[in-house]
Amino acid sequence: MKVRANGIELAYDEAGSGTPVVFIHGFPHNRTLWAPQLAGLASRARCLAFDLRGFGESDVLPPYSMDQYADDLACAMDALAVGRAVMVGLSMGGYIAFAFWRRHRQRVRALVLANTRAGADTEAGREKRREMIALARERGAPAVADAMITGMIGKHTRERHPELVQAVHAMLASAPVAGSIGALQAMLERPDSTPTLATIDVPTLIIAGDDDAIVSRQDVNAMHAAIRGSRLEVIPAAGHVSNLERPAAFNAVLSEHVERLGMREGGSGKGERHDD
Ligand code: MLT
Protein backbone atom coordinates (compact mmCIF):
# COMPACT_ATOMS: atom_id res chain seq x y z
CA MET A 1 0.00 0.00 0.00
CA LYS A 2 1.05 3.60 -0.48
CA VAL A 3 0.31 6.78 1.39
CA ARG A 4 1.06 10.37 0.39
CA ALA A 5 3.23 12.26 2.86
CA ASN A 6 5.07 15.55 2.41
CA GLY A 7 4.46 15.44 -1.34
CA ILE A 8 5.89 11.96 -1.88
CA GLU A 9 4.52 8.41 -1.86
CA LEU A 10 5.59 6.16 1.00
CA ALA A 11 5.02 2.42 0.76
CA TYR A 12 3.83 0.66 3.89
CA ASP A 13 2.44 -2.59 5.26
CA GLU A 14 -0.29 -2.67 7.86
CA ALA A 15 -1.56 -5.57 9.98
CA GLY A 16 -3.88 -6.01 12.94
CA SER A 17 -5.82 -3.66 15.15
CA GLY A 18 -5.36 -2.22 18.61
CA THR A 19 -2.55 -0.05 19.92
CA PRO A 20 -0.80 1.57 16.94
CA VAL A 21 2.83 0.51 16.60
CA VAL A 22 4.98 2.22 13.96
CA PHE A 23 8.12 0.37 12.85
CA ILE A 24 11.11 2.33 11.49
CA HIS A 25 13.76 0.37 9.62
CA GLY A 26 17.51 0.89 9.66
CA PHE A 27 20.11 1.40 6.94
CA PRO A 28 19.97 0.23 4.17
CA HIS A 29 16.85 -1.74 4.94
CA ASN A 30 13.22 -1.53 3.91
CA ARG A 31 9.90 -2.31 5.55
CA THR A 32 10.27 -6.06 5.00
CA LEU A 33 12.75 -5.96 7.91
CA TRP A 34 9.68 -5.99 10.15
CA ALA A 35 7.79 -8.93 8.61
CA PRO A 36 8.23 -11.18 11.71
CA GLN A 37 6.96 -8.40 13.98
CA LEU A 38 3.88 -7.70 11.83
CA ALA A 39 3.11 -11.41 11.84
CA GLY A 40 3.75 -11.76 15.57
CA LEU A 41 1.98 -8.67 16.88
CA ALA A 42 -1.01 -8.31 14.57
CA SER A 43 -3.28 -10.10 17.05
CA ARG A 44 -2.74 -7.37 19.65
CA ALA A 45 -1.67 -4.19 17.86
CA ARG A 46 -2.18 -2.10 14.76
CA CYS A 47 1.24 -2.55 13.17
CA LEU A 48 2.49 -0.16 10.49
CA ALA A 49 5.86 -0.58 8.77
CA PHE A 50 6.92 2.13 6.30
CA ASP A 51 9.63 2.30 3.67
CA LEU A 52 11.45 5.52 4.48
CA ARG A 53 11.90 7.97 1.61
CA GLY A 54 14.65 6.66 -0.66
CA PHE A 55 14.16 3.00 0.36
CA GLY A 56 12.07 0.02 -0.70
CA GLU A 57 9.12 1.07 -2.83
CA SER A 58 8.91 4.63 -1.53
CA ASP A 59 9.80 7.59 -3.72
CA VAL A 60 13.51 8.33 -3.94
CA LEU A 61 13.55 12.09 -3.47
CA PRO A 62 15.64 14.48 -1.37
CA PRO A 63 15.88 16.10 1.12
CA TYR A 64 17.25 13.45 3.46
CA SER A 65 17.75 14.06 7.17
CA MET A 66 16.64 12.41 10.39
CA ASP A 67 14.18 15.30 10.86
CA GLN A 68 12.78 14.81 7.34
CA TYR A 69 12.28 11.07 7.86
CA ALA A 70 10.53 11.84 11.18
CA ASP A 71 8.29 14.47 9.57
CA ASP A 72 7.41 12.04 6.76
CA LEU A 73 6.29 9.49 9.34
CA ALA A 74 4.21 12.08 11.23
CA CYS A 75 2.55 13.10 7.97
CA ALA A 76 1.87 9.48 6.99
CA MET A 77 0.40 8.85 10.45
CA ASP A 78 -1.92 11.84 9.95
CA ALA A 79 -3.05 10.43 6.61
CA LEU A 80 -3.74 7.03 8.21
CA ALA A 81 -5.54 8.48 11.26
CA VAL A 82 -2.90 7.31 13.71
CA GLY A 83 -2.77 9.74 16.62
CA ARG A 84 -0.30 8.39 19.16
CA ALA A 85 1.79 5.33 18.52
CA VAL A 86 4.47 3.14 19.98
CA MET A 87 7.48 4.11 17.87
CA VAL A 88 9.87 1.22 17.26
CA GLY A 89 13.19 2.11 15.62
CA LEU A 90 16.09 -0.18 14.80
CA SER A 91 19.54 1.37 14.43
CA MET A 92 19.06 4.30 11.98
CA GLY A 93 15.38 3.84 12.84
CA GLY A 94 16.36 4.69 16.42
CA TYR A 95 18.14 7.87 15.27
CA ILE A 96 14.87 8.78 13.54
CA ALA A 97 12.85 7.91 16.66
CA PHE A 98 14.93 10.46 18.61
CA ALA A 99 14.19 13.10 15.93
CA PHE A 100 10.51 12.11 16.03
CA TRP A 101 10.51 12.52 19.81
CA ARG A 102 12.04 16.00 19.55
CA ARG A 103 9.61 17.15 16.87
CA HIS A 104 6.38 15.22 17.53
CA ARG A 105 6.53 13.97 21.10
CA GLN A 106 2.78 14.36 21.58
CA ARG A 107 2.42 11.54 19.02
CA VAL A 108 4.61 9.12 20.99
CA ARG A 109 2.87 6.75 23.34
CA ALA A 110 5.98 4.70 24.05
CA LEU A 111 9.38 4.06 22.53
CA VAL A 112 11.29 0.95 21.55
CA LEU A 113 14.95 1.58 20.72
CA ALA A 114 16.51 -1.50 19.17
CA ASN A 115 20.20 -1.94 18.33
CA THR A 116 20.75 1.77 18.34
CA ARG A 117 22.75 4.51 20.03
CA ALA A 118 22.18 8.15 20.95
CA GLY A 119 25.54 9.65 20.01
CA ALA A 120 26.45 11.35 16.74
CA ASP A 121 29.15 9.92 14.47
CA THR A 122 32.75 10.33 15.55
CA GLU A 123 35.18 11.84 13.03
CA ALA A 124 36.40 8.31 12.23
CA GLY A 125 32.78 7.23 11.73
CA ARG A 126 32.19 10.15 9.36
CA GLU A 127 35.22 9.14 7.32
CA LYS A 128 33.79 5.61 7.00
CA ARG A 129 30.47 7.08 5.83
CA ARG A 130 32.30 9.07 3.14
CA GLU A 131 34.02 5.88 1.99
CA MET A 132 30.66 4.09 1.90
CA ILE A 133 29.16 6.95 -0.14
CA ALA A 134 32.01 6.60 -2.64
CA LEU A 135 31.52 2.82 -2.75
CA ALA A 136 27.77 3.21 -3.38
CA ARG A 137 28.38 5.77 -6.11
CA GLU A 138 31.08 3.77 -7.87
CA ARG A 139 29.96 0.16 -7.42
CA GLY A 140 26.31 0.29 -6.41
CA ALA A 141 24.15 -1.27 -3.70
CA PRO A 142 25.47 -4.86 -4.04
CA ALA A 143 28.96 -3.63 -3.09
CA VAL A 144 27.50 -1.81 -0.06
CA ALA A 145 25.69 -5.02 0.88
CA ASP A 146 28.95 -7.00 0.60
CA ALA A 147 30.72 -4.47 2.82
CA MET A 148 27.99 -4.43 5.47
CA ILE A 149 26.63 -7.95 5.69
CA THR A 150 29.13 -9.41 8.16
CA GLY A 151 28.67 -6.60 10.70
CA MET A 152 24.92 -6.59 10.19
CA ILE A 153 24.36 -10.16 11.41
CA GLY A 154 25.69 -11.84 14.56
CA LYS A 155 28.27 -14.62 14.41
CA HIS A 156 25.86 -17.17 15.88
CA THR A 157 23.25 -16.42 13.19
CA ARG A 158 25.83 -16.38 10.41
CA GLU A 159 26.97 -19.83 11.39
CA ARG A 160 23.53 -21.37 11.84
CA HIS A 161 21.26 -19.52 9.43
CA PRO A 162 22.91 -18.93 6.06
CA GLU A 163 19.47 -18.50 4.50
CA LEU A 164 18.87 -15.44 6.71
CA VAL A 165 22.25 -14.01 5.73
CA GLN A 166 21.26 -14.42 2.09
CA ALA A 167 17.86 -12.77 2.62
CA VAL A 168 19.36 -9.79 4.47
CA HIS A 169 22.07 -9.43 1.81
CA ALA A 170 19.35 -9.35 -0.85
CA MET A 171 17.51 -6.62 1.07
CA LEU A 172 20.66 -4.50 1.38
CA ALA A 173 21.63 -5.10 -2.27
CA SER A 174 18.22 -3.93 -3.48
CA ALA A 175 18.42 -0.50 -1.80
CA PRO A 176 18.20 2.42 -4.25
CA VAL A 177 21.66 4.00 -4.56
CA ALA A 178 20.46 7.61 -4.38
CA GLY A 179 18.40 6.89 -1.26
CA SER A 180 21.33 5.11 0.37
CA ILE A 181 23.71 7.98 -0.35
CA GLY A 182 21.12 10.42 1.02
CA ALA A 183 20.78 8.37 4.21
CA LEU A 184 24.55 8.02 4.67
CA GLN A 185 24.97 11.79 4.36
CA ALA A 186 22.03 12.32 6.73
CA MET A 187 23.50 9.94 9.34
CA LEU A 188 26.89 11.62 9.00
CA GLU A 189 25.25 14.98 9.74
CA ARG A 190 22.84 13.81 12.43
CA PRO A 191 22.97 15.61 15.77
CA ASP A 192 23.99 14.06 19.05
CA SER A 193 20.78 12.81 20.67
CA THR A 194 22.38 12.33 24.11
CA PRO A 195 20.79 15.54 25.50
CA THR A 196 17.41 14.26 24.29
CA LEU A 197 17.55 11.18 26.51
CA ALA A 198 16.77 13.04 29.75
CA THR A 199 13.64 14.53 28.15
CA ILE A 200 12.08 11.14 27.38
CA ASP A 201 9.19 10.53 29.75
CA VAL A 202 7.25 7.77 28.01
CA PRO A 203 7.70 4.03 28.66
CA THR A 204 10.88 3.06 26.85
CA LEU A 205 12.16 -0.38 26.02
CA ILE A 206 15.75 -0.73 24.85
CA ILE A 207 16.61 -3.91 22.97
CA ALA A 208 20.19 -4.98 22.27
CA GLY A 209 21.77 -8.03 20.70
CA ASP A 210 24.60 -9.54 22.71
CA ASP A 211 26.45 -10.19 19.44
CA ASP A 212 25.91 -6.74 17.87
CA ALA A 213 29.09 -5.68 16.08
CA ILE A 214 27.79 -2.21 15.15
CA VAL A 215 26.34 -0.85 18.41
CA SER A 216 28.50 -1.28 21.51
CA ARG A 217 27.14 -2.41 24.86
CA GLN A 218 28.72 0.68 26.39
CA ASP A 219 26.53 2.93 24.19
CA VAL A 220 23.46 0.86 25.04
CA ASN A 221 24.14 1.00 28.78
CA ALA A 222 24.68 4.77 28.63
CA MET A 223 21.33 5.18 26.85
CA HIS A 224 19.61 2.96 29.42
CA ALA A 225 21.12 4.96 32.31
CA ALA A 226 20.04 8.28 30.80
CA ILE A 227 16.40 7.40 30.00
CA ARG A 228 14.49 7.46 33.28
CA GLY A 229 12.66 4.22 34.00
CA SER A 230 13.75 2.57 30.76
CA ARG A 231 13.93 -1.19 30.52
CA LEU A 232 16.84 -2.95 28.84
CA GLU A 233 16.56 -6.39 27.27
CA VAL A 234 19.65 -8.01 25.80
CA ILE A 235 18.79 -10.80 23.39
CA PRO A 236 21.26 -13.67 23.48
CA ALA A 237 22.77 -14.98 20.23
CA ALA A 238 21.50 -11.95 18.32
CA GLY A 239 23.50 -9.44 16.30
CA HIS A 240 22.54 -6.07 14.80
CA VAL A 241 19.23 -7.16 13.26
CA SER A 242 18.05 -8.80 16.47
CA ASN A 243 14.41 -8.69 15.35
CA LEU A 244 15.18 -10.97 12.38
CA GLU A 245 17.80 -13.11 14.09
CA ARG A 246 15.72 -13.95 17.19
CA PRO A 247 12.17 -12.97 16.19
CA ALA A 248 10.42 -14.91 18.96
CA ALA A 249 12.56 -13.37 21.71
CA PHE A 250 12.23 -9.91 20.17
CA ASN A 251 8.46 -10.24 19.78
CA ALA A 252 8.07 -11.47 23.34
CA VAL A 253 9.66 -8.37 24.90
CA LEU A 254 7.96 -6.05 22.40
CA SER A 255 4.52 -7.60 23.02
CA GLU A 256 4.99 -7.30 26.74
CA HIS A 257 5.89 -3.63 26.39
CA VAL A 258 2.79 -2.97 24.30
CA GLU A 259 0.51 -4.95 26.63
CA ARG A 260 1.78 -3.10 29.68
CA LEU A 261 0.61 0.15 28.09
CA GLY A 262 -2.89 -1.26 27.90
CA MET A 263 -2.75 -2.31 31.54
CA ARG A 264 -1.42 1.10 32.63
CA GLU A 265 -4.44 2.69 31.02
CA GLY A 266 -6.86 0.24 32.58
CA GLY A 267 -7.58 -1.82 29.48
CA SER A 268 -6.48 -5.29 28.49
CA GLY A 269 -4.26 -3.83 25.78
CA LYS A 270 -5.75 -6.32 23.33
CA GLY A 271 -8.15 -5.69 20.54
CA GLU A 272 -8.71 -2.03 21.38
CA ARG A 273 -8.20 0.86 19.03
CA HIS A 274 -5.89 3.36 20.69
CA ASP A 275 -5.30 5.61 17.74
CA ASP A 276 -6.56 8.71 19.53
C1 MLT B 1 21.73 0.68 10.56
O1 MLT B 1 21.61 -0.53 10.72
O2 MLT B 1 20.76 1.43 10.48
C2 MLT B 1 23.11 1.25 10.45
O3 MLT B 1 24.07 0.28 10.76
C3 MLT B 1 23.27 2.45 11.32
C4 MLT B 1 24.59 3.12 11.21
O4 MLT B 1 25.34 2.84 10.26
O5 MLT B 1 24.89 3.98 12.05
Side-chain angles (χ1 to χ4, degrees):
M1 290 177 285
K2 296 230 171 159
V3 60
R4 211 159 171 81
N6 285 333
I8 62 165
E9 300 257 295
L10 293 183
Y12 71 101
D13 289 328
E14 175 166 359
S17 63
T19 306
V21 181
V22 171
F23 291 92
I24 318 170
H25 64 74
F27 173 86
H29 306 154
N30 59 50
R31 69 188 193 277
T32 65
L33 177 81
W34 299 111
Q37 282 63 54
L38 265 60
L41 265 81
S43 62
R44 69 197 76 216
R46 182 183 176 198
C47 302
L48 295 137
F50 294 93
D51 283 337
L52 297 167
R53 72 165 61 213
F55 290 101
E57 296 173 306
S58 287
D59 286 345
V60 182
L61 262 188
Y64 299 101
S65 67
M66 299 303 126
D67 286 353
Q68 183 65 54
Y69 294 129
D71 291 355
D72 289 348
L73 291 173
C75 199
M77 286 164 68
D78 284 342
L80 297 169
V82 176
R84 294 173 71 218
V86 180
M87 304 299 292
V88 183
L90 183 134
S91 199
M92 182 179 79
Y95 313 157
I96 297 166
F98 291 131
F100 193 93
W101 172 258
R102 286 191 288 271
R103 296 166 78 79
H104 307 284
R105 70 182 62 181
Q106 72 287 357
R107 313 289 297 270
V108 182
R109 193 146 174 247
L111 279 171
V112 180
L113 303 167
N115 303 85
T116 195
R117 59 167 82 83
D121 280 358
T122 59
E123 200 35 61
R126 291 195 181 107
E127 197 41 47
K128 281 196 188 144
R129 300 265 191 231
R130 291 184 196 105
E131 287 166 16
M132 199 64 89
I133 288 172
L135 183 68
R137 203 166 268 140
E138 286 155 26
R139 297 185 34 221
V144 172
D146 290 346
M148 291 191 72
I149 191 68
T150 303
M152 187 68 53
I153 299 184
K155 185 165 177 286
H156 182 274
T157 310
R158 274 186 274 124
E159 285 168 1
R160 287 173 180 73
H161 296 288
E163 74 295 343
L164 184 64
V165 178
Q166 240 180 356
V168 173
H169 187 280
M171 173 169 64
L172 308 187
S174 72
V177 169
S180 297
I181 291 173
L184 284 162
Q185 189 65 34
M187 284 195 285
L188 183 162
E189 288 167 1
R190 78 185 189 281
D192 181 6
S193 290
T194 308
T196 301
L197 302 179
T199 70
I200 295 176
D201 59 1
V202 292
T204 299
L205 168 66
I206 297 168
I207 302 178
D210 76 347
D211 206 9
D212 189 335
I214 294 181
V215 174
S216 74
R217 188 67 64 75
Q218 203 184 354
D219 285 347
V220 168
N221 289 344
M223 201 164 62
H224 177 42
I227 304 178
R228 223 178 1 260
S230 61
R231 172 177 166 207
L232 169 62
E233 292 287 344
V234 181
I235 302 188
H240 190 59
V241 283
S242 59
N243 69 307
L244 285 181
E245 295 178 52
R246 299 287 317 281
F250 190 101
N251 287 358
V253 290
L254 176 57
S255 300
E256 204 192 318
H257 192 59
V258 172
E259 291 206 345
R260 278 188 190 175
L261 298 174
M263 286 180 324
R264 258 192 204 98
E265 288 169 21
S268 67
K270 287 186 184 178
E272 300 164 14
R273 274 193 92 83
H274 283 295
D275 42 357
D276 49 325

